[in-house]
Amino acid sequence: MGSSMHQLNYLCNTRLPRLAWCAVLRENDDKVAVHHGPWIEVAESSFVEGAWSGSYSEMGFPHAITFTGSGALLTPDGLLFATPTHSVEPIYVLRAKKRIHCSNSLRLILSIADDDIDCGYLYYDLDITSMAFGLKRNISRIPTRNRNWVNIYYYCNLHIGRDLSLNVLEKPQIRPFPGYSEYMSFLDDQVSSTIKNSGDARRLVRYTPLSTISTGYDSAATSVIAKKAGCKEYITFTTSQDGANDSGKLIGRILGLEVTEFDPGDYCSKDDLPEAEFVATGGGGGSVIFAGLEDRLHGKILFTGNYGDGAWERASNSGGVDMATWNSAGADMLYFRIRVGFLHLAVPSIGYSQYASLQTISNSEEMRSWSLNRGEYDRPIPRRIVEDAGVARELFGQSKRVAARSLKYCNPVSILEPDLRHVMAATSYLNFCKYAEQRKLYSTRLERLIFTLLHALYRFNARMIRSKKLRAVTQHVGIVLPAAPWIPIRFRKRRTRHRLLFHWGMEQIKRHHIAQAAPSSDREFAAETKGCDR
């Protein structure tokens, strides 16, 4: 990128999560302090946690078509930060006292800025998961205890100049896919290139591929693609939420894969509050089923079928343009991921910015033979991938099954919430109840009344907009209904104890995100990172 006016000063802290980082820029100061965990890849002009479809040595992750992770590199006139090319992990930015803090961890950025969440603000999880509505509708900033704002940036690059000016830059655009074969060639190339990058010999930490597999469409198709790219390890969860068999071991045997089975309920026997770091993201917490797989995930790049609902569903699709994805699957894995030390790439998210062309392929004549011709759970693209690999039609994708044990639902249209007694470990449930008992859901009766009214109006407004009959009538008389309710989307959920899960989780993980400058912070960056344990 040429010479830069900035200098990266690395402060490695082995007590931080392995893949956590926070950069602090001061106005008109050439030095950028980068607090980071021991597995961050650092160089004189860049730092990164992640892998991408391109050469590792060229450090072109901000401009890669596929990038899972986050990082930054110096430019001649500033610093360029890069989010992943999916929309479940953002970069957080906090301005305070002529400084800008940028991080892949909300908990860490608050710690370094000597700030915290506002315990009286009960919309955090709803604001954070509003990305389910897409880039143009999500709530892009949240308040803090010290009356600052944390801005949340998804699916973009951020350029920050010496005067702390910030410009949002678009990710590289890809062309629409003409058909299935072109799309498959694209996926194969992107996955293969990303795996090659993740295991580059010049890395501080080299990652090996690991894929999930089940009886569903998406992870089965992901495993077929991962196998072609050289993946040799596969994991499956034995049952779904309702207790039905969801093991992908039989499918794996047909595909010639070595699959290890795990019980998704193993986390319930843990007494170290395993759910905390999952709900602290603001997400649903369902990925807590991975808590028992820490040793297996350590040093891996994990491939999943997340995003399949949006990218591959033919008819009742919950995705949309602007990277909308209702289920927010995988968004709750960040703190667990950066602590354990693994990367996560949802294969259906690759090329998801071309949502419209994926829908065209799914509904095209060439894919009719792989469609079940039903209104729900019909995904011709992954069905063709798996059937072409030799798996019989009746063995997968017959009914929607979910292994995740969500503590709250991120789906914007769901009203009910899970019974926490049934989805939390006993110790965790008692700890959370004690925490929740000390906090009020409303500060006054007036606040309760106002919220109840706005929530009811939101639900009524949303039902009207989704009504097919009403839409047909209004179109007939020339009235255009809005695409979204008029009431702010933070009123879409009822205010129950589930709103406090985020606050509880953030409190529990706080001690793991306290950054202290390394004793030898003035050494050369190479010497500093040498002392970090892998």
Side-chain angles (χ1 to χ4, degrees), residues 4 13 94 98 110 116 120 125 149 164 168 178 185 189-190 248 339 410 417 465 477 486 488 531:
S4 174
N13 187 337
L94 187 155
K98 296 185 178 181
L110 292 172
D116 210 334
D125 64 325
W149 291 95
L164 302 190
V168 179
S185 295
D189 176 71
Q190 293 296 305
R339 178 182 62 81
C410 296
E417 297 283 16
I465 290 174
V477 298
W486 299 293

Side-chain angles (χ1 to χ4, degrees), residues 23-37:
V24 183
L25 297 84
R26 297 170 177 83
E27 187 175 358
N28 299 320
D29 190 340
D30 296 339
K31 295 182 178 179
V32 179
V34 182
H35 303 263
H36 66 91

Side-chain angles (χ1 to χ4, degrees), residues 292-498:
L293 280 68
E294 284 194 27
D295 293 341
R296 196 64 183 263
L297 292 168
H298 186 82
K300 296 295 194 296
I301 176 168
L302 175 69
F303 292 93
T304 69
N306 294 348
Y307 262 85
D309 288 355
W312 290 341
E313 182 68 32
R314 182 188 63 82
S316 301
N317 194 289
S318 62
V321 295
D322 298 319
M323 304 298 288
T325 171
W326 274 19
N327 290 330
S328 302
D332 55 3
M333 206 181 290
L334 173 67
Y335 291 122
F336 176 69
R337 182 182 74 77
I338 63 176
R339 178 182 62 81
V340 173
F342 68 95
L343 309 178
H344 173 217
L345 180 58
V347 170
S349 75
I350 302 173
Y352 185 63
S353 60
Q354 278 299 328
Y355 166 82
S357 71
L358 295 180
Q359 279 288 283
T360 298
I361 293 172
S362 293
N363 288 278
S364 65
E365 184 64 31
E366 72 164 323
M367 300 301 291
R368 187 178 297 275
S369 297
W370 291 274
S371 171
L372 300 183
N373 196 30
R374 58 190 184 190
E376 293 184 355
Y377 204 50
D378 186 10
R379 304 180 183 179
I381 290 176
R383 178 162 294 285
R384 182 172 178 178
I385 292 171
V386 180
E387 289 187 6
D388 284 356
V391 180
R393 174 164 295 196
E394 63 271 14
L395 294 180
F396 73 100
Q398 295 301 310
S399 61
K400 177 70 173 175
R401 293 172 182 168
V402 180
R405 292 349 189 214
S406 296
L407 279 69
K408 55 187 175 178
Y409 297 131
C410 296
N411 187 319
V413 300
S414 64
I415 300 176
L416 300 178
E417 297 283 16
D419 187 335
L420 295 178
R421 294 172 298 178
H422 299 157
V423 291
M424 295 183 78
T427 302
S428 301
Y429 180 70
L430 292 174
N431 188 286
F432 172 70
C433 287
K434 183 178 179 180
Y435 176 90
E437 287 169 0
Q438 300 171 8
R439 285 154 179 83
K440 295 181 179 180
L441 292 177
Y442 302 96
S443 58
T444 64
R445 282 186 289 182
L446 179 60
E447 184 192 3
R448 178 193 289 268
L449 179 62
I450 293 173
F451 178 86
T452 302
L453 176 61
L454 289 173
H455 172 67
L457 287 173
Y458 180 92
R459 301 300 306 181
F460 175 76
N461 196 186
R463 284 197 298 271
M464 292 298 99
I465 290 174
R466 289 196 301 271
S467 171
K468 294 181 180 179
K469 291 183 178 179
L470 179 61
R471 191 167 292 277
V473 170
T474 55
Q475 287 179 347
H476 180 71
V477 298
I479 299 175
V480 179
L481 285 178
W486 299 293
I487 307 299
I489 57 179
R490 60 165 51 97
F491 292 101
R492 66 189 183 273
K493 298 280 189 177
R494 295 186 302 168
R495 184 168 292 183
T496 64
R497 289 195 303 172
H498 298 78

Side-chain angles (χ1 to χ4, degrees), residues 95-114:
R95 286 182 183 265
K97 299 178 181 178
K98 296 185 178 181
R99 296 181 181 182
I100 282 188
H101 303 73
C102 301
S103 179
N104 65 345
S105 162
L106 176 61
R107 182 70 271 175
L108 181 58
I109 202 173
L110 292 172
S111 171
I112 291 179
D114 194 24

